[in-house]
Amino acid sequence: MKTFFSEDHRAHFPQAELHGGQFVTPFERPSRIEHVLTRLKERGFAAPIAPDPADRAVVDALHAPDYLDFLETAWAEWKAEGFEGEIIAASFPARRMQTARPPRNIDGKVGYYALAAETAITEGTWAAAWSSMASAQAAQRAVAAGDRAAFALCRPPGHHAASDMYGGYCFLNNAAAVAEMFRRDGAAKVAVLDVDFHHGNGTQDIFYDRGDVFFASLHGAPEDAFPYFLGFADETGTGAGDGATANYPMAPGTGYGPWSEALDDALSRIRAFGAEALVLSLGVDTFKDDPISFFKLDSGDFLDMGARVARAGLPTVICMEGGYAIEAVGINTVNVLEGFNNA
């Protein structure tokens, strides 16, 4: 299995995240990727391949033009306003406030496009997000050319990025772009399977009214877990997408037994949907020692997870999402890849 990865991810390293009422070093940081790279090498995987540039047309099809303009220019506007620190949202269009008129002031714009305040923007954020998108697209091209599967070692991750909002450490939706590319390459139907602990609200937002992309997410119950306001079981799609969304919210303390039952059900629905290609949003924050999650999967469970996904028998692109137990991220991620390869 080829791995696609860009060193440009290092350009995005905010120095602070608001967590539990304190500013802490972000849980989503460059060292996560270093552990994955080290483990890939230890387990004999081929050296990662630097991606070709991303196709902007694919991104434009998924994200609103004003949102992309914001991401590209936010840092320059922030500095022009005279602000010294990193960009962190401080005000939001809450209930009964207007959302049809984005503010002109950059401080207001940030809150308009942010869905949460934990995710900072830095001078290098756009470059890093674009390189992450490039890795995802390169992986899709490899699979479209005949590879059984490919791994996009994306950072920053993407599944919380909606059509016009960022947050949860995500800015551009890598998995959604891969699904869109499979469709453009001729697949009548595509599935996105999100196994990150946190609900893939951004991917759901992008495809919620489409009937050609099936989205399934296994995640912590939104009553208890970020992003809190999406991911309930009764969210099943709308319009042409009615029935093409499946959410599996699960309670604190969920172990691999019930979790794997949800995975099997999701895979069964993907087969029934008739998907011709699969995108796996791979977060390993379901691990029992993850600092911002509450599932109880062991490292060995990730081997079985990969094998179950492989048995779906679909051309598959695996996009890296979350996982914040830093020392174990490499082991758990590569276990999924080995489980897939050996199935």
Side-chain angles (χ1 to χ4, degrees):
M1 184 188 301
K2 295 185 181 79
T3 296
F4 294 88
F5 160 75
S6 172
E7 292 284 354
D8 290 347
H9 81 94
R10 301 179 195 281
H12 174 70
F13 187 13
Q15 297 306 294
E17 172 183 340
L18 183 60
H19 175 75
Q22 296 179 303
F23 282 108
V24 301
T25 301
F27 292 100
E28 202 295 293
R29 52 188 184 260
S31 58
R32 298 174 59 243
I33 301 305
E34 298 307 316
H35 283 280
V36 178
L37 292 170
T38 297
R39 186 64 174 177
L40 286 168
K41 185 175 181 179
E42 289 174 350
R43 299 299 296 171
F45 282 73
I49 302 167
D52 291 332
D55 181 354
R56 177 66 184 248
V58 175
V59 181
D60 287 342
L62 302 172
H63 291 292
D66 60 304
Y67 171 66
L68 294 174
D69 289 344
F70 161 76
L71 288 179
E72 287 190 82
T73 63
W75 184 256
E77 289 189 52
W78 186 258
K79 300 305 289 184
E81 192 67 22
F83 296 131
E84 295 296 326
E86 297 173 338
I87 302 176
I88 298 176
S91 59
F92 300 89
R95 289 184 295 275
R96 293 179 298 283
M97 289 185 175
Q98 292 197 28
T99 58
R101 290 184 273 192
R104 279 193 298 266
N105 183 279
I106 184 60
D107 189 41
K109 281 185 184 180
V110 173
Y112 180 81
Y113 290 110
L115 61 87
E118 84 295 289
T119 301
I121 294 176
T122 71
E123 183 175 10
T125 295
W126 172 255
W130 195 250
S131 75
S132 184
M133 174 61 67
S135 294
Q137 292 192 13
Q140 190 279 337
R141 286 191 289 267
V143 173
D147 287 9
R148 176 192 183 204
F151 176 43
L153 184 49
C154 296
R155 181 183 177 271
H159 73 146
H160 291 306
S163 60
D164 58 356
M165 290 184 290
Y166 74 94
Y169 315 130
C170 302
F171 304 94
L172 298 174
N173 198 306
N174 305 309
V178 172
E180 178 69 14
M181 290 175 72
F182 276 126
R183 285 286 293 113
R184 293 183 178 208
D185 284 344
K189 293 182 177 181
V190 179
V192 180
L193 174 61
D194 193 322
V195 297
D196 189 281
F197 168 80
H198 302 93
H199 178 247
N201 61 286
T203 313
Q204 176 173 303
D205 170 74
I206 289 170
F207 293 124
Y208 202 59
D209 61 356
R210 287 177 55 169
D212 56 341
V213 178
F214 186 87
F215 174 67
S217 179
L218 286 63
H219 52 269
E223 296 95 337
D224 302 302
F226 181 91
Y228 298 112
F229 307 109
L230 214 60
F232 294 90
D234 60 3
E235 297 163 12
T236 59
T238 188
D242 186 21
T245 293
N247 283 304
Y248 298 85
M250 287 174 269
T254 295
Y256 191 63
W259 191 95
S260 63
E261 291 176 5
L263 175 62
D264 288 345
D265 189 76
L267 289 168
S268 176
R269 293 192 61 178
I270 287 168
R271 286 191 292 271
F273 178 73
E276 297 171 18
L278 177 65
V279 187
L280 180 66
S281 273
L282 175 60
V284 293
D285 44 0
T286 49
F287 182 56
K288 62 184 180 181
D289 294 329
D290 196 274
I292 55 173
S293 310
F294 55 61
F295 287 169
K296 299 300 179 184
L297 274 62
D298 290 309
S299 290
D301 296 330
F302 292 95
L303 285 163
D304 183 69
M305 179 196 305
R308 291 181 190 229
V309 173
R311 286 195 289 269
L314 295 172
T316 301
V317 172
I318 301 171
C319 290
M320 190 72 199
E321 302 287 0
Y324 310 103
I326 301 295
E327 300 297 326
V329 166
I331 294 170
N332 295 336
T333 300
V334 177
N335 275 2
V336 175
L337 306 184
E338 291 193 314
F340 188 102
N341 282 342
N342 295 331

